[in-house]
Amino acid sequence: MAARLEVQGLSKRFPGVIALEDVSISVERGEIRALLGENGAGKSTLGKIVAGIHAPSSGTVLIDGEEVRLQDERAAGALGIGIVHQEGSLVPQLSVAENIFAGRQPVGRFGQVLVDQMRAEAARLIGQLGVAIDPARRVAELSAAQAQIVEIAKALSHDLKLLILDEPTAALTLNETDRLFDVVRKLAQSGVSIIYVSHRLAEIFALCDRVSVLKDGRLAGTRDVAATSTDELIRLMVGRDVHLHRQADGRVPGRVVLEARQVAAGVMVRDASVTVRAGEIVCIAGLIGSGRSEFCETIFGARKRSGGTIAIDGNAYRPGGTWDAKAAGVGMVPEDRKTSGLFLGMDIVNNIAATVLDKVSDGAKFSQAKAEALAQNFVVEMRISTPSVRQVVGNLSGGNQQKVLLAKWLAMEPKLLIVDEPTRGVDVGARAEIYRLLRALAAKGVALLVVSSDLPEVLALADRIIVMAEGRTVGTLNGGEATEESVLRLATKFTASVAASRATVGADA
Amino acid sequence: MTDTTAATQRDALLLRVVRKLANSRELTLFILVLVLAGVMAAVYPNNFPTASNMRAVLLNLAPVGILVCGMMLLMIAGTFDLSCGSTLALAGVWAGVVASPNWLGYGPYAGMLAGLVVGGIAGLINGLIVTRIGINALIATLGTLTIFRGLTYVTAGTGVTPISDEFAAFGRVADPLLRIQSLFWVMLVIALGGGWLIARTRFFRQYYFIGGNPRAAQLSGIRVDRLILIGFVIMGVLAGLSGALYAARLNSAVVNAGVGIELKVITATVLGGASLKGGEGTIFGGIMGVLFIALVENAMIINSVGVFWQGIVVGLVLLFAVSLDRFKTPGRG
Ligand SMILES: Nc1ncnc2c1ncn2[C@@H]1O[C@H](COP(=O)(O)OP(=O)(O)OP(=O)(O)O)[C@@H](O)[C@H]1O
Ligand SMILES: [Mg+2]
């Protein structure tokens, strides 16, 4: 029997970039195949070609032994190929059900959309993932994790042969990830082949049968997951050894830079406190929806504060907006680089210049030369892989986009830098580099407040860990002594007890 | 991973040319303008390239050109103002009312100032509705389009005619050499000055960020709402200036001045390279757009092709220019 998917000699060129070069891979029926590689190695490009979004420059794609030439994503869908995009593809103004059935809603005799049927079907698909989301809700109201689940449900709704998942877990919690894995395994058992792209090696060992590694657009090798090791995969991917572990670098925290007391903002932040000293890395851990990002936005002045006090360097601080935060030396790298962080249609130079317009100007005049020089520095220092600083950021790979986002805020040289999810979608090599950058920043005396859903990351970076639950800071752990279990216990214990107290309040009423 | 030569050699020459043009709307338009002018000059040597015809073309496009400068700024920031034609009329009428001895009679300078202030206030109102109340610009300025026109009628139902000779002088002074009246020169100064400001200064660069991604701009510490408000005020002041000078040139503030001009302004702006999504465009492009439309209109008149064809040709050119975007280098801003 022919393989489910066979790509032969696939190449893809973009202006100035060779994204894929002579790649041949074959995936069996019901196989879960991991696709691994550094940022910009061509993983998403490969997925997009198979899903009909890009046309290959040369090479062929065979499905069940037959060559296919796909015109677009719809044609691929009709063949049973589904894709969950790395960067998301939902329309925020539309409902969950409308997004899942975009362009192929069930229609009645007069062409009218059968809303009830559509919603019921959407609810069933989401239910398959073991989650409940009201299909009538607008996507804009969903959390990042819920939106990701809708993305997956959207791909599931096809009569599926092959499912491509491009970093589907980047925004998911552990629980949600587990559920997703169950669904993926079930699909595989029923004969669907899966291509699974992720930078999280642990996930690959937990889920996949075989793993193919891309390096600089070429296939570096394919291994059985059972017969390989993390170190071997990293070597294939990066070409050297990488260490992500905690490093004792003898930093001594200095003066208190940020002192936030009992901050409240809307319903998401009820009572949160944190102190960060110069040269210290404080991580906020907690489940998605615990108000971590909202707390950070409040400190940054992007969200109105309704209670509590904040002081920067001992001075009372009431930002009227993000510009006041910037003036006080506070920067924030937002969680979602696509919607809130980057100007995707603009080049690297302009993206970096956006936060430091005064620095790249001569008086009132914007200086292209200064902006370019600044960007060039960061491209070299952060090893952003791009043909030039004039490359449009939307054309960079996800991990390189993340580096540009960080560069944008490093350029501002803040006293306090808040980083919400520093390494989302970043490869191991770049992850180690970002850790190095953050540590170097702390060593220079910057106060760092880092939010991360990735517990190993929290443990690798934090001098102190603040745990948040239900909009409250519920505990502090020493970074050197904490374990994944101790953080999780704190985060979930409190959530459980709140749920219990709510239940009793409900019973009283 | 970079291999520019291999990739570009594959591109056919034609595709490269098309791409070049698609990537620079200004260049495309500039060439179109030159070609159109050249053809007209060759076919109608007695009617087209004459001093009086050129003077008429440049003078007629001036009010639109002034408005395009403001509209381009707004469209770079991802918004626009449909009420600019009504603002123009309202400001013109107020300039007349303040200046005319038959009305308030405060003299020509006060009249000019009144035009600018009324325009600025109209812009401020638009800006406040959009940024404070959060009504989208299409609906907000569609509302003020009829409101400002209504206010114009309420102020002076039949217009202000004549205003005064001193006031008229503002619009009628001409340079001694080319003998083109002030409206054109004012437009030229605004276009050159505004073009430089928008292309080069740190302040106006912020508008590109706002248009590129308003949320990211906000989170980069850019005062999005305030800048948009300022953009609307600039648009209003320019409309006021345009309206007052227009009234001065005619020595008459007519209540239906600038009816429908907003569509011409937006057409020229989009033709000149602005995108409705925001984040791109230059004043030079906008002015090229205005020039192109003015030449097409002029050509139609000289050809004595029916006036109805003007709209059709301009519309077709607009669609053609925008469809060139398909050939843009992928992802170019
Ligand atoms: N539309 C495009 N135009 C130009 N270059 C592109 C385009 N899409 C991708 N590229 C380039 O192709 C290369 C491969 O990109 P791709 O997105 O496939 O990487 P990836 O392996 O998915 O990386 P990541 O892990 O960061 O998501 C990168 O150098 C990227 O900049
Ligand atoms: Mg990718």
Side-chain angles (χ1 to χ4, degrees):
Chain A
M1 210 159 49
R4 169 58 44 90
L5 168 73
E6 174 124 28
V7 299
Q8 295 172 343
L10 211 58
S11 298
K12 176 69 185 175
R13 290 181 193 82
F14 292 109
V17 178
I18 298 179
L20 284 178
E21 179 80 349
D22 194 21
V23 171
S24 303
I25 285 178
S26 103
V27 181
E28 297 303 321
R29 229 159 275 242
E31 177 184 346
I32 307 179
R33 169 69 61 90
L35 206 53
L36 204 58
E38 286 183 289
N39 294 129
K43 305 177 296 293
S44 299
T45 305
L46 180 60
K48 283 180 183 165
I49 291 175
V50 173
I53 296 155
H54 287 324
S57 303
S58 61
T60 50
V61 177
L62 291 85
I63 298 288
D64 290 334
E66 280 186 41
E67 184 174 343
V68 292
R69 292 194 171 276
L70 298 163
Q71 295 302 318
D72 54 19
E73 203 174 343
R74 266 182 91 117
L79 267 180
I81 302 170
I83 183 164
V84 171
H85 289 287
Q86 181 175 10
E87 301 294 350
S89 67
L90 301 178
V91 184
Q93 291 85 359
L94 295 183
S95 75
V96 168
E98 279 162 325
N99 266 292
I100 291 179
F101 289 97
R104 52 194 177 87
Q105 300 94 335
V107 290
R109 204 165 353 140
F110 307 109
Q112 80 279 28
V113 175
L114 301 174
V115 176
D116 289 342
Q117 188 184 326
M118 183 171 80
R119 289 199 180 147
E121 183 65 7
R124 192 184 64 75
L125 288 165
I126 297 169
Q128 272 190 14
L129 297 169
V131 193
I133 300 172
D134 180 358
R137 276 177 76 185
R138 291 193 319 149
V139 165
E141 301 162 12
L142 303 181
S143 69
Q146 288 171 318
Q148 188 63 42
I149 287 164
V150 174
E151 290 271 7
I152 295 166
K154 182 176 167 184
L156 284 186
S157 60
H158 298 286
D159 212 359
L160 215 54
K161 280 187 184 150
L162 174 68
L163 178 62
I164 301 159
L165 298 168
D166 198 349
E167 300 190 34
T169 55
L172 298 192
T173 60
L174 285 177
N175 267 333
E176 288 161 330
T177 301
D178 278 345
R179 279 200 210 119
L180 173 69
F181 283 7
D182 287 343
V183 173
V184 172
R185 286 194 195 97
K186 239 186 278 167
L187 284 170
Q189 270 156 25
S190 68
V192 178
S193 305
I194 313 280
I195 292 182
Y196 188 87
V197 180
S198 179
H199 288 295
R200 299 187 177 166
L201 294 174
E203 292 183 357
I204 287 168
F205 284 99
L207 182 70
C208 303
D209 304 316
R210 284 198 287 171
V211 45
S212 295
V213 181
L214 290 177
K215 177 155 177 59
D216 294 343
R218 291 171 180 279
L219 186 66
T222 297
R223 300 281 184 278
D224 278 332
V225 166
T228 185
S229 66
T230 311
D231 288 341
E232 186 189 12
L233 291 180
I234 290 179
R235 267 195 305 278
L236 275 177
M237 206 169 25
V238 193
R240 61 190 153 83
D241 289 323
V242 171
H243 297 289
L244 291 172
H245 308 299
R246 210 183 156 71
Q247 283 171 10
D249 43 10
R251 269 180 284 118
V252 185
R255 67 182 201 285
V256 172
V257 174
L258 169 71
E259 171 105 60
R261 287 276 147 264
Q262 300 181 319
V263 171
V267 289
M268 292 303 285
V269 185
R270 291 151 193 267
D271 176 7
S273 305
V274 67
T275 305
V276 189
R277 294 167 179 279
E280 187 183 33
I281 304 180
V282 176
C283 287
I284 306 186
L287 306 180
I288 285 183
S290 57
R292 298 170 307 176
S293 300
E294 290 79 4
F295 181 35
C296 291
E297 283 172 16
T298 313
I299 298 173
F300 186 53
R303 193 173 271 271
K304 257 215 175 64
R305 183 161 103 216
S306 54
T309 58
I310 304 180
I312 299 287
D313 272 343
N315 303 318
Y317 160 82
R318 262 206 168 276
T322 54
W323 43 91
D324 289 337
K326 210 163 83 171
V330 180
M332 185 178 85
V333 178
E335 176 181 16
D336 186 337
R337 61 173 170 263
K338 188 183 177 193
T339 62
S340 338
L342 294 170
F343 305 93
L344 290 176
M346 296 185 172
D347 58 22
I348 297 176
V349 175
N350 275 294
N351 269 278
I352 294 180
T355 45
V356 285
L357 280 170
D358 45 345
K359 256 194 218 174
V360 294
S361 299
D362 300 318
K365 193 169 162 288
F366 179 79
S367 160
Q368 293 285 351
K370 279 190 184 175
E372 226 165 89
L374 182 70
Q376 192 62 51
N377 274 344
F378 278 106
V379 164
V380 173
E381 187 185 332
M382 301 180 76
R383 292 177 225 166
I384 297 171
S385 100
T386 171
S388 93
V389 287
R390 287 294 176 188
Q391 176 73 305
V392 170
V393 168
N395 290 347
L396 296 177
S397 75
N400 283 306
Q401 287 181 5
Q402 186 70 21
K403 289 189 197 170
V404 173
L405 182 60
L406 262 173
K408 203 177 127 178
W409 284 104
L410 295 187
M412 189 205 122
E413 297 178 12
K415 274 187 221 166
L416 167 70
L417 184 62
I418 304 167
V419 192
D420 199 350
E421 301 291 353
T423 59
R424 177 164 293 176
V426 165
D427 69 49
V428 268
R431 183 181 288 246
E433 258 167 56
I434 288 176
Y435 291 178
R436 177 181 61 78
L437 276 165
L438 293 178
R439 286 190 192 110
L441 219 55
K444 271 197 278 177
V446 177
L448 284 168
L449 184 60
V450 177
V451 172
S452 176
S453 301
D454 189 20
L455 282 178
E457 176 163 300
V458 169
L459 297 177
L461 279 176
D463 298 323
R464 246 169 344 110
I465 301 169
I466 307 279
V467 179
M468 269 187 89
E470 301 274 330
R472 296 180 168 81
T473 42
V474 296
T476 306
L477 297 165
N478 187 314
E481 295 156 11
T483 60
E484 290 196 26
E485 290 74 39
S486 66
V487 176
L488 261 183
R489 208 177 312 125
L490 204 51
T492 50
K493 184 182 84 187
F494 192 78
T495 313
S497 70
V498 167
S501 69
R502 277 205 190 131
T504 44
V505 170
D508 287 348
Chain B
M1 288 194 54
T2 52
D3 191 353
T4 326
T5 45
T8 42
Q9 268 167 9
R10 247 165 277 259
D11 286 4
L13 181 67
L14 179 67
L15 188 63
R16 279 223 309 272
V17 171
V18 170
R19 211 164 247 169
K20 182 115 202 153
L21 291 180
N23 280 336
S24 170
R25 185 70 68 69
E26 290 92 345
L27 187 63
T28 316
L29 268 180
F30 189 62
I31 292 172
L32 277 178
V33 165
L34 287 184
V35 168
L36 189 57
V39 169
M40 284 302 291
V43 180
Y44 300 98
N46 299 324
N47 299 332
F48 180 75
T50 65
S52 65
N53 185 50
M54 285 296 124
R55 225 174 274 142
V57 168
L58 294 179
L59 200 56
N60 283 334
L61 65 75
V64 183
I66 293 176
L67 294 183
V68 159
C69 295
M71 193 67 83
M72 187 54 93
L73 180 64
L74 288 178
M75 289 189 73
I76 287 170
T79 181
F80 52 85
D81 179 2
L82 289 178
S83 73
C84 58
S86 301
T87 306
L88 180 149
L90 184 64
V93 162
W94 269 97
V97 165
V98 170
S100 167
N102 300 331
W103 292 70
L104 298 180
Y106 287 118
Y109 291 99
M112 208 63 209
L113 188 66
L116 296 181
V117 170
V118 167
I121 292 174
L124 185 68
I125 292 172
N126 281 328
L128 287 175
I129 297 176
V130 170
T131 58
R132 293 291 137 82
I133 309 182
I135 296 179
N136 113 351
L138 173 76
I139 294 161
T141 60
L142 197 59
T144 54
L145 173 136
T146 57
I147 293 172
F148 294 159
R149 183 68 64 185
L151 285 175
T152 311
Y153 290 121
V154 171
T155 310
T158 53
V160 181
T161 318
I163 302 175
S164 75
D165 289 344
E166 295 86 357
F167 186 74
F170 284 130
R172 291 179 176 170
V173 287
D175 65 299
L177 190 63
L178 301 172
R179 290 186 288 119
I180 308 178
Q181 287 172 340
S182 58
L183 201 50
F184 171 74
W185 296 110
V186 168
M187 182 212 82
L188 196 65
V189 168
I190 290 176
L192 292 175
W196 186 84
L197 287 173
I198 289 183
R200 290 291 154 78
T201 61
R202 146 175 92 158
F203 179 79
F204 284 103
R205 180 146 290 267
Q206 298 178 98
Y207 285 87
Y208 286 94
F209 291 117
I210 295 174
N213 181 347
R215 172 133 177 94
Q218 173 90 19
L219 289 179
S220 301
I222 291 172
R223 311 186 77 140
V224 175
D225 279 353
R226 172 178 293 195
L227 287 167
I228 289 189
L229 188 67
I230 292 173
F232 273 105
V233 172
I234 292 176
M235 173 88 245
V237 170
L238 290 178
L241 178 64
S242 186
L245 283 177
Y246 188 69
R249 189 166 75 88
L250 303 177
N251 194 14
S252 164
V254 286
V255 283
N256 59 356
V259 169
I261 201 175
E262 60 278 346
L263 292 184
K264 209 187 233 180
V265 171
I266 291 178
T267 307
T269 314
V270 173
L271 198 55
S275 124
L276 284 177
K277 286 188 313 232
E280 49 190 332
T282 60
I283 296 275
F284 177 63
I287 294 297
M288 280 298 129
V290 177
L291 194 56
F292 180 77
I293 293 177
L295 281 184
V296 168
E297 285 178 358
N298 189 245
M300 295 279 154
I301 291 165
I302 291 178
N303 268 316
S304 53
V305 178
V307 62
F308 305 121
W309 282 93
Q310 289 178 16
I312 296 176
V313 171
V314 171
L316 285 175
V317 170
L318 177 71
L319 294 180
F320 167 74
V322 174
S323 60
L324 267 184
D325 284 357
R326 289 160 39 92
F327 295 96
K328 272 191 184 185
T329 311
R332 271 285 295 263

